[in-house]
């Protein structure tokens, strides 16, 4: 039996990962959550070092995937202590505990470790984060490598996938404004047309992580830093146009060509996925197909 612990199984990525791994015969999945506990999920506050150590000792996983984090840039900016506790210190504690048991740790990081001025970025390009979120995730990457020789960082860009609320993903969070703009007295929705993103489907990432776990199960664990990205560049205005088409609404959208965010964000952090591709790892569902799958199972009427 190959045992995988998914830390942060209640989140956008964690849920997709648990769904993917549950299909593997001969694998056992231990899922943890913090505030959103589903039946069968283990309660774990990753800021509690003793609880983390006891969890790893008790469950003795072969691999541990850290999908728990504080990933909202504005929250990280205003609460750097929380960002550090989740994105840096907890990674160190989890990876050190896993290392003591000889378990492989996969920690999820972000394209925001780069400043977005010179894409595409390779796994060994020089990081230069622009905001507190990116800085905390970069420190988390370093905490992982300092804490274990049996660890890997997987950097990802903007994620979308099956949701439990529109706000869960920066892709689907556009839907309420799109829907409101399509009502008879709706005002045009202003959408950022400056930053270039590569929306990446969480079931595809889960598939990639499963392939990575399979390599570890075969005794051929991937170490160091790897990156995975969807293949279609889009700004939010273009994402909104494609969402409106999928929703079949006549939205009124206005492109905003200069950045307006309070928290600085990079322009284009395209992540090269070549290290994983060279290992035969990867899957990219076309955006228009994937977003229709997401919208089909989440009722949007009334989003406005
Ligand atoms: N979303 C994106 O667009 C994006 C882009 C690039 C990289 N990433 C990275 O991908 C990873 C997954 O992100 P996500 O979007 O799936 O995040 P998410 O939906 O915000 O989920 C966060 C997870 O962290 C858990 N968590 C929060 N505080 C915790 C605590 N004190 N102890 C234990 N668990 C705690 C949450 O548990 P509860 O819900 O149960 O409280 C939840 O499972 C993160 O490392 C993120 O930085 C995300």
């Amino acid at each position: 039996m190959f045992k995988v612990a998914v830390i942060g199984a209640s989140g956008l990525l964690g849920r997709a990962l648990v769904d993917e791994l549950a299909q593997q015969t001969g694998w056992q999945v231990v899922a943890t959550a913090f505030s959103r506990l589903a039946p069968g999920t283990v309660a774990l506050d990753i800021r509690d070092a003793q609880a983390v150590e006891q969890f790893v000792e008790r469950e003795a996983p072969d691999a541990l995937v850290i999908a728990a984090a504080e990933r909202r840039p504005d929250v990280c900016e205003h609460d750097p202590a929380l960002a550090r506790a989740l994105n840096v210190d907890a990674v160190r504690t989890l990876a050190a505990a896993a290392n003591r048991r000889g378990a492989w740790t996969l920690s999820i990081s972000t394209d925001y470790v780069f400043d977005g001025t010179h894409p595409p970025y390779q796994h060994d390009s020089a990081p230069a984060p622009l905001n507190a979120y990116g800085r905390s995730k970069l420190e988390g990457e370093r905490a992982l490598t300092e804490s274990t020789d049996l660890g890997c960082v997987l950097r990802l860009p903007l994620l979308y996938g099956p949701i439990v609320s529109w706000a869960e993903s920066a892709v689907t969070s556009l839907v309420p404004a799109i829907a409101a703009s399509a009502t008879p007295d709706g005002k045009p929705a202003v959408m950022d047309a400056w930053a270039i993103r590569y929306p990446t489907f969480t079931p595809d990432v889960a598939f990639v992580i499963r392939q990575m776990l399979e390599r570890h199960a075969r005794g051929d664990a991937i170490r160091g830093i790897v990156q995975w990205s969807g293949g279609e560049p889009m700004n939010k205005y273009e994402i909104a146009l494609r969402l409106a088409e999928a929703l079949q609404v006549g939205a009124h959208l206005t492109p905003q060509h200069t950045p307006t965010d309070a928290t600085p964000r990079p322009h284009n952090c395209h992540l090269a996925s070549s290290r994983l591709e060279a290992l035969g790892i990867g899957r990219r569902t076309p955006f228009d197909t994937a977003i229709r799958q997401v919208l089909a199972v989440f009722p949007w009427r009334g989003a406005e």
Side-chain angles (χ1 to χ4, degrees), residues 7-15 32-37 44-47 66-71 86-87 108-111 133 137 156-160 168-170:
I7 311 299
S10 48
L12 180 69
L13 178 59
R15 292 194 310 271
T32 83
F34 176 54
S35 63
R36 294 180 286 172
L37 281 169
L44 182 66
D45 182 348
I46 57 170
R47 293 168 297 182
I66 309 174
E70 180 46 74
R71 57 132 184 118
L86 288 178
N87 296 349
I108 307 300
S109 189
T110 171
D111 57 346
Y133 170 62
K137 295 296 284 187
L156 300 171
L158 170 62
L159 300 178
Y160 71 103
E168 244 200 326
S169 150

Side-chain angles (χ1 to χ4, degrees), residues 187-204:
K187 295 192 177 61
V190 179
M191 296 284 164
D192 181 83
W194 175 78
I196 297 163
R197 300 287 177 252
Y198 285 77
T200 299
F201 192 38
T202 52
D204 287 347

Side-chain angles (χ1 to χ4, degrees), residues 29-96:
V29 180
V30 190
T32 83
F34 176 54
S35 63
R36 294 180 286 172
L37 281 169
T41 325
V42 177
L44 182 66
D45 182 348
I46 57 170
R47 293 168 297 182
D48 181 342
Q50 200 183 355
V52 165
E53 280 156 20
Q54 284 168 354
F55 168 81
V56 175
E57 281 302 308
R58 185 178 71 241
E59 298 293 344
D62 298 291
L64 196 141
V65 182
I66 309 174
E70 180 46 74
R71 57 132 184 118
R72 293 165 296 179
D74 301 342
V75 174
C76 293
E77 214 68 41
H78 293 112
D79 194 348
L82 178 70
R84 163 163 277 282
L86 288 178
N87 296 349
V88 186
D89 299 339
V91 173
R92 194 186 304 280
T93 313
L94 282 158

